[in-house]
Amino acid sequence: IEITKASGAAIGLLDGKKIRYRATAGLMALPVGSEVQMEKSLCVACLRTGQVVRCVDVNAEFLLDIEDCQRRGIRSMIAVPVYHDGGIAGGLELYYASTQAFTEHDVHSCQLMAGLITEALARDQELSLKKSLASERAVMLEALEKLKPNLAALVDAPQARGAVAAAGAVSSAST
């Protein structure tokens, strides 16, 4: 918001056919955790096309929910796709209180921020994978600890059988 002089911003991630807003700032943004049907989201055009959407006047845009924009005081906006795992994962939305309120520099700033969001998603996925592997390893080690007495008995069993057979052979030979 400070860099682009926007009145609000939001990061919405796809969750099925909905957008879940994971981070928001400013009075024009929906509360964190809000869910909106993808078709009703303000970033729907960038989600469909994978392109940056520059809307200098929301009243002239037919793809936006004009009533929602008016209720929230949004007069212009930028929407930038957020990519993850080779596809579109969501969008970064910036809202402005007046028409023609942003520059190409603001659009570039949004694209850079969307790249940082992509990096954060990748790191989060990597961390989740590491936690999952550590959890699976802990479960396996716990299971092995529980099986340890049984495994020890199996290892000792052939030696015991071999000792009994050897003792039987010695006793047969001495008779």
Side-chain angles (χ1 to χ4, degrees), residues 24-165:
T24 63
L27 297 174
M28 294 180 175
L30 295 173
V32 170
S34 295
E35 289 183 358
V36 176
Q37 291 295 323
M38 186 177 109
E39 299 302 318
K40 289 284 195 176
S41 70
L42 297 180
C43 63
V44 66
C46 83
L47 298 175
R48 286 183 182 155
T49 65
Q51 301 294 314
V52 174
V53 173
R54 298 163 180 83
C55 186
V56 296
D57 184 354
V58 297
N59 292 317
E61 182 61 54
F62 66 92
L63 293 175
L64 296 176
D65 183 345
I66 301 303
E67 290 176 13
D68 184 38
C69 289
Q70 288 174 344
R71 187 176 63 254
R72 292 166 55 186
I74 300 169
R75 303 281 313 276
S76 61
M77 67 168 287
I78 304 168
V80 179
V82 173
Y83 293 95
H84 182 60
D85 280 344
I88 298 171
L92 170 63
E93 302 171 351
L94 262 67
Y95 318 114
Y96 294 88
S98 59
T99 59
Q100 301 180 2
F102 57 87
T103 66
E104 260 324 284
H105 291 290
D106 297 326
V107 173
H108 292 298
S109 295
C110 289
Q111 289 173 307
L112 288 171
M113 294 305 289
L116 292 174
I117 296 165
T118 295
E119 180 64 24
L121 291 173
R123 287 180 184 220
D124 184 55
Q125 182 180 26
E126 184 179 321
L127 182 61
S128 294
L129 179 62
K130 285 180 180 179
K131 284 181 180 179
S132 175
L133 290 173
S135 176
E136 288 177 23
R137 182 177 184 267
V139 168
M140 292 299 290
L141 289 174
E142 185 179 321
L144 286 172
E145 281 299 318
K146 289 179 181 177
L147 291 173
K148 198 173 190 178
N150 294 339
L151 293 172
L154 288 173
V155 169
D156 291 341
Q159 292 174 352
R161 274 187 247 131
V164 168

